[in-house]
Amino acid sequence: MALDFSKKMRPNSIIMSDWGAYGNIYTTPEKLVTDIIVLSLLYDEVLIQDEVFVLSDLMPKWFERTEGNDLLAKIFELDSIVLLGWKSYPSEIKTDYKHHPMFARAEYHEKFSTRGDSIFIASESNKDFYKKIEYFLTKRKSAIRERGAKCSFDVNKSFFQVFTELLSKEVYKPWLSSVFPEISSGIKDQFLNFANNPNFGISELKKAGKEVKSHNDPVFNRSLGFQLSTFYKDEIKYSIQRLIQSAYAIPLCESEEAVGKYGYQLKEVPWFSSEETAYGHISENKVIVEAEANTNVFIPSILSDFPQTINSIRQSDAGKALRYAMREIGNDTNFTRITHCWEGVAEELASCVDVKEKKSARTTALRIGEKIITGTVIGELSSMVFTNIHTPYIGALLGTGIGLSFDHGLELMKYEIQHQKNRQLIESLIEFRCSWIPFEKN
């Protein structure tokens, strides 16, 4: 199906950005695989940062022995799964990254970076796990690609812009105070100084007797930010780290032309190209439900041959139509068409899934000002519909569960950037959210 790029299109890849930011976001392999199955129905690619596999101590335990190895093999049999690897390394990295991408990434972290705010050294269990991953990558070459291969975009420079503006611009104060209340004005000033003077930050770390992992010509990046966060007590440290990861997610997704996955730890940043744009956005004071529809969806068990099922549906006319329809956004959205596409995929699933879990998917179209924003939540749903948004009704409107395409919820959060009345309720209802936050240039 040809795409009409004359319209504003939502990306149809998703980065597991919360998982990449926090390797412990999943505590069981069953939950991870179920989420991947669901996301594979809606997105052309489910992108996973290679450091998730490199730095994890949980996954080597999950995927050992025959059962675990078989489940890991199934993940890489899904034609949606793509690892994001690095396309270049400093000359000090001796591992051949083209043939051994996992080992090269591990060597980089050991020499120049960290695992969160801690020093990382790969264990023998980690190394055995890298061998498994690299074996599966040789079986399906399309399961890995170079990070940033889709467009020329400076992620680190853009991360610096987003992070420093979140700390310094007046328009973000209500959001920052609500989401990260531990970060005081004094701490914001200190971190802005560190960000603008990375050599000073490194000098302070060394004075405190801390081992520093950084390049010879340091820049302020996530790793340095995490190391600097250790100057503060835990509640402040973790807030700074979550803010760093949330700011980084926007340019990371932009560089891959992808939607981001957000949750409890990784927050959607209400990003605008300027304060004028932000204040103009929140002046749109009318929110109306245009339409909604519920669809029953059957999800295959992870014990089944789910790769064959999901790959088959993705290649079907119904599967392609749904992924195409989910790209449409704004006034070009045909709500009836998206609903019809959901129903088509639901019929395909019902006919070919033997062991299945029934879920309900609610797709809602909201008019916020002059824009129509759609989204889908899968989980437990109520049948209530309201034409004016009030705090008690957000759950009835959006549903509770997983925000498979959560642009409508994100727009509500951005609409309330100065008041934050509904943000906490929305976040408490939605386990994780797939949100598109375009990097808007001034």
Side-chain angles (χ1 to χ4, degrees), residues 213-233:
K213 291 287 185 177
S214 180
H215 296 279
N216 293 329
D217 184 18
V219 296
F220 182 80
N221 55 22
R222 288 182 300 160
S223 178
L224 181 55
F226 269 51
Q227 292 174 79
L228 290 165
S229 73
T230 61
F231 281 131
Y232 305 94
K233 58 185 180 181

Side-chain angles (χ1 to χ4, degrees), residues 50-58 60 102-127 129-130 211-213 223 227:
D50 60 355
E51 61 260 38
V52 175
F53 292 92
V54 168
L55 300 176
S56 176
D57 285 335
L58 274 177
M102 299 294 105
F103 282 92
R105 191 75 158 105
E107 184 184 352
Y108 176 85
H109 273 277
E110 290 179 347
K111 290 183 176 178
F112 296 112
S113 191
T114 55
R115 175 167 58 186
D117 56 44
S118 302
I119 303 301
F120 171 73
I121 302 294
S123 67
E124 289 305 312
S125 178
N126 289 133
K127 294 174 183 178
F129 184 59
Y130 303 160
E211 182 179 355
V212 181
K213 291 287 185 177
S223 178
Q227 292 174 79

Side-chain angles (χ1 to χ4, degrees), residues 333-352:
T333 298
N334 184 324
F335 181 82
T336 304
R337 179 182 173 196
I338 290 177
T339 304
H340 177 73
C341 291
W342 256 113
E343 291 171 347
V345 166
E347 289 179 8
E348 294 270 355
L349 282 166
S351 66
C352 65

Side-chain angles (χ1 to χ4, degrees), residues 318-363:
K320 292 177 182 177
L322 176 61
R323 297 202 306 280
Y324 176 84
M326 294 301 286
R327 296 196 65 179
E328 297 182 332
I329 195 168
N331 289 323
D332 296 320
T333 298
N334 184 324
F335 181 82
T336 304
R337 179 182 173 196
I338 290 177
T339 304
H340 177 73
C341 291
W342 256 113
E343 291 171 347
V345 166
E347 289 179 8
E348 294 270 355
L349 282 166
S351 66
C352 65
V353 175
D354 294 326
V355 181
K356 46 200 173 188
E357 179 182 352
K358 181 179 178 181
K359 294 182 179 293
S360 296
R362 164 173 285 178
T363 302

Side-chain angles (χ1 to χ4, degrees), residues 164-177 185 188 192 270 272 274-276 278-279 282 417-420:
T164 54
E165 290 190 3
L166 289 175
L167 292 178
S168 61
K169 285 190 175 290
E170 188 72 24
V171 70
Y172 298 114
K173 274 188 175 181
W175 176 81
L176 198 64
S177 297
S185 295
K188 285 193 288 185
L192 281 169
F272 296 96
S274 67
E275 291 189 74
E276 181 182 5
Y279 286 120
I282 62 176
I417 189 174
Q418 292 299 300
H419 308 293
Q420 300 295 301

Side-chain angles (χ1 to χ4, degrees), residues 12 41 52 85 116-117 119 130 151 177 195 244 254 277 288 299 311 321 331 335 364 369 403 412 422 428 430 433:
N12 205 245
L41 293 171
V52 175
D117 56 44
I119 303 301
Y130 303 160
C151 65
S177 297
I244 287 171
E254 182 74 12
T277 303
I288 296 173
I299 306 301
N311 289 344
N331 289 323
F335 181 82
T364 310
L412 282 173
N422 290 322
S428 70
I430 307 299
R433 305 173 297 276

Side-chain angles (χ1 to χ4, degrees), residues 126-186:
N126 289 133
K127 294 174 183 178
D128 289 341
F129 184 59
Y130 303 160
K131 292 176 184 177
K132 288 184 183 181
I133 299 297
E134 291 180 353
Y135 170 72
F136 292 129
L137 295 178
T138 63
K139 295 185 69 176
R140 192 178 136 246
K141 299 292 186 182
S142 60
I144 187 169
R145 76 155 182 257
E146 293 178 348
R147 192 177 307 203
K150 283 204 167 185
C151 65
S152 176
F153 186 79
D154 193 327
V155 174
N156 287 328
K157 181 180 178 181
S158 300
F159 156 67
F160 178 85
Q161 177 188 346
V162 174
F163 181 72
T164 54
E165 290 190 3
L166 289 175
L167 292 178
S168 61
K169 285 190 175 290
E170 188 72 24
V171 70
Y172 298 114
K173 274 188 175 181
W175 176 81
L176 198 64
S177 297
S178 174
V179 180
F180 304 109
E182 299 83 5
I183 303 178
S184 66
S185 295

